[in-house]
Amino acid sequence: MYNVKFAISTGKKFEEEILNELSEYEIYAFYLGYAFEVGRLFSSPFRRDLRPSFNVYRDDRSGKLLFKDFGDINRKGDCFKFVEQYKGLNTRQKAVDAVYLDIILNNKQGKKTIKTFRELSNKAKPKSVIQYIPKIDINVFEKNYWEELGISIDELPFFKIYVAEALYINQEEVCKSYDEDPIFIYKVFDKIKAYRPYTKDKKKKWFSNCTRFDIQGWEQLPEFPETDTLIITKSKKDVAVLRKLGYLAIAPSSESTLIPHNAMKVLSEEYGFRKFIVLYDRDDGGMKGARKMFLQYRGTYNITFKFIPKTYKKDVSDVRKVLGKERTINFLIKLLGYEPNEKLTILPTYGTLSDDKTR
C-alpha cells in the first residue's frame, strides 16, 4: 500500500497518489479533528467563530470538496490549500508533504480515526435527497416562459436554472413534466429548489432542500460588481430577471428567512455593497419578510425596502412580462432610485462560474 510510488512522485502526481489512498473528506476531518456535514456551515477552525461561517462543499463543476471561510476572503480552496493555511505552511508542496507524513505515513496504524458525519448522526432525521432527470428536448411552452421574462434558454445555465423531465425525492418519483406543466430546477450550491409554476396542486409547487445558508444568486455575483447597491429579492427567477435588466440581486431560501450575518458582512466588506434594497412580493408574506430583514440590519447596514405599487403586478418578474424591457427599466429607476448597469446584462460564458464562487 505504501510503496516506492510515493517516494518518486512529485507535484500533481504526488497529489493524485495521495488521493488514491485518502478521500478529500478524510484530509479535512483529520486536521479538524472531528466529522462534519458537507455543504453545511460550521465554526471556522481559523478563529473564534460564534456564528458558524466555515463551509466545506462539493463544487458543482469540478466535483472537488472545496472550503470557504466567510470571515476571511483569503481562506478558500481545496483540501491541500486548507492544510497549507491551517498548518501555516508557505507552499502547496509543503502541504502535500504534510498530508503524506501526518496521515499516510505516521497515522497508517489508525492512531487517529475520524468517523464520518453519517456514522455520528444516525439518530438525526434523514434529509431529503432531491434528484431530477434533465429534459433534453425543451418545448416551446418552456422556452416561451423564460423568453417572456427576457431570458433565453441558452442563458439559463449561467443562473444554474434547468428544465427537468421528472423529479425524485429519496429515489421516489414525485412528479413528471407535461407540455404545459413544466418543472424548473434552481441549483443553489449543492442544494436544489424545484419549481412548478403552473401546477394546480399547491403542495407540489415547490420542493426544496435548501437551508438558510443557501443564498440564491450568490454564485452569479461578479467579482467586481461595478455598483454599490444590491437588491435582496425573493426568488432565483427574480434574480435572473433583474440581472438581465442591469441590476444585481440575491435571494434567501424564502421570504421568511434572513440573509445570515456573516453573509451580509462579506457582501459589504468584500464585494463593496454599500446599500441594500429588499424587494419582495407585495403580499402579506412578502411584507412581513421585508420588515423582518429591515429591522434586523437597519442599525448595521444601509438597508431599506420597496414594494411594487398596487397598480402593477406584485413582483418584478410579472412586471417585466407585462411591460417589456424598456418600460420595466424606467419603472425600476423610479422605484429603486438608481439606474441599471448595462454591463451586467452581458453574462459570462453560459454554464460557467468562477471557482471562487462559494457560500
Side-chain angles (χ1 to χ4, degrees), residues 155-290:
E155 290 173 316
L156 290 181
F158 170 76
F159 296 105
K160 295 178 76 172
I161 298 174
Y162 308 95
V163 184
E165 190 75 57
L167 190 71
Y168 296 81
I169 296 182
N170 298 331
Q171 299 185 334
E172 291 187 12
E173 184 181 282
V174 292
C175 59
K176 277 187 176 180
S177 172
Y178 297 98
D179 286 347
E180 296 188 1
D181 187 11
I183 305 170
F184 298 121
I185 301 296
Y186 301 165
K187 294 199 75 175
V188 188
F189 299 98
D190 58 340
K191 304 296 195 306
I192 285 177
K193 290 191 80 170
Y195 177 44
R196 299 176 66 205
Y198 297 109
T199 186
K200 295 179 181 178
D201 187 347
K202 290 185 178 181
K203 292 182 179 179
K204 293 186 177 181
K205 187 169 186 175
W206 287 100
F207 297 91
S208 175
N209 59 5
C210 290
T211 71
R212 67 189 182 94
F213 302 110
D214 301 300
I215 302 171
Q216 302 173 89
W218 185 288
E219 298 161 285
Q220 288 75 37
L221 290 176
E223 187 175 358
F224 303 104
E226 296 190 53
T227 177
D228 65 355
T229 303
L230 181 66
I231 297 170
I232 301 175
T233 187
K234 57 90 167 94
S235 71
K236 180 168 273 199
K237 179 176 70 172
D238 286 355
V239 167
V241 167
L242 285 164
R243 178 65 177 267
K244 288 297 295 176
L245 293 170
Y247 292 94
L248 286 181
I250 59 171
S253 56
S254 71
E255 287 177 313
S256 62
T257 303
L258 290 172
I259 300 291
H261 288 266
N262 286 312
M264 291 293 289
K265 184 174 173 23
V266 170
L267 291 167
S268 176
E269 296 181 4
E270 297 180 17
Y271 284 92
F273 294 114
R274 295 290 173 261
K275 185 176 181 181
F276 299 89
I277 300 175
V278 183
L279 184 62
Y280 284 172
D281 283 359
R282 193 193 64 252
D283 57 18
D284 187 59
M287 290 181 176
K288 286 180 179 178

Side-chain angles (χ1 to χ4, degrees), residues 29-233:
F30 180 88
Y31 289 102
L32 288 169
Y34 51 82
F36 59 91
E37 184 178 4
V38 173
R40 190 179 186 88
L41 288 181
F42 54 95
S43 294
S44 173
F46 294 106
R47 56 195 163 76
R48 188 168 179 262
D49 189 13
L50 298 178
R51 293 189 179 93
S53 59
F54 184 85
N55 188 19
V56 178
Y57 67 98
R58 181 73 62 185
D59 181 62
D60 226 25
R61 187 170 63 173
S62 67
K64 292 182 178 181
L65 277 186
L66 304 182
F67 76 96
K68 166 73 177 182
D69 191 331
F70 267 94
D72 188 337
I73 191 173
N74 296 311
R75 297 201 184 279
K76 58 190 174 184
D78 65 3
C79 60
F80 294 112
K81 187 67 175 179
F82 171 75
V83 175
E84 178 186 334
Q85 295 185 343
Y86 185 75
K87 297 198 71 170
L89 306 173
N90 56 13
T91 68
R92 184 179 181 87
Q93 187 58 53
K94 287 183 179 179
V96 174
D97 293 342
V99 172
Y100 170 65
L101 292 171
D102 294 345
I103 307 180
I104 292 179
L105 195 62
N106 295 332
N107 197 55
K108 64 180 180 180
Q109 300 303 324
K111 295 176 185 176
K112 184 176 180 182
T113 303
I114 302 294
K115 293 183 178 181
T116 66
F117 183 85
R118 189 180 299 278
E119 289 177 285
L120 295 178
S121 60
N122 51 18
K123 292 184 180 180
K125 182 180 177 181
K127 293 180 172 55
S128 296
V129 176
I130 301 180
Q131 297 170 304
Y132 68 97
I133 298 175
K135 191 169 187 181
I136 306 301
D137 298 318
I138 298 174
N139 64 38
V140 173
F141 187 84
E142 293 158 339
K143 182 180 178 182
N144 288 344
Y145 178 88
W146 292 101
E147 289 188 345
E148 286 181 347
L149 299 173
I151 303 164
S152 74
I153 285 293
D154 292 335
E155 290 173 316
L156 290 181
F158 170 76
F159 296 105
K160 295 178 76 172
I161 298 174
Y162 308 95
V163 184
E165 190 75 57
L167 190 71
Y168 296 81
I169 296 182
N170 298 331
Q171 299 185 334
E172 291 187 12
E173 184 181 282
V174 292
C175 59
K176 277 187 176 180
S177 172
Y178 297 98
D179 286 347
E180 296 188 1
D181 187 11
I183 305 170
F184 298 121
I185 301 296
Y186 301 165
K187 294 199 75 175
V188 188
F189 299 98
D190 58 340
K191 304 296 195 306
I192 285 177
K193 290 191 80 170
Y195 177 44
R196 299 176 66 205
Y198 297 109
T199 186
K200 295 179 181 178
D201 187 347
K202 290 185 178 181
K203 292 182 179 179
K204 293 186 177 181
K205 187 169 186 175
W206 287 100
F207 297 91
S208 175
N209 59 5
C210 290
T211 71
R212 67 189 182 94
F213 302 110
D214 301 300
I215 302 171
Q216 302 173 89
W218 185 288
E219 298 161 285
Q220 288 75 37
L221 290 176
E223 187 175 358
F224 303 104
E226 296 190 53
T227 177
D228 65 355
T229 303
L230 181 66
I231 297 170
I232 301 175
T233 187

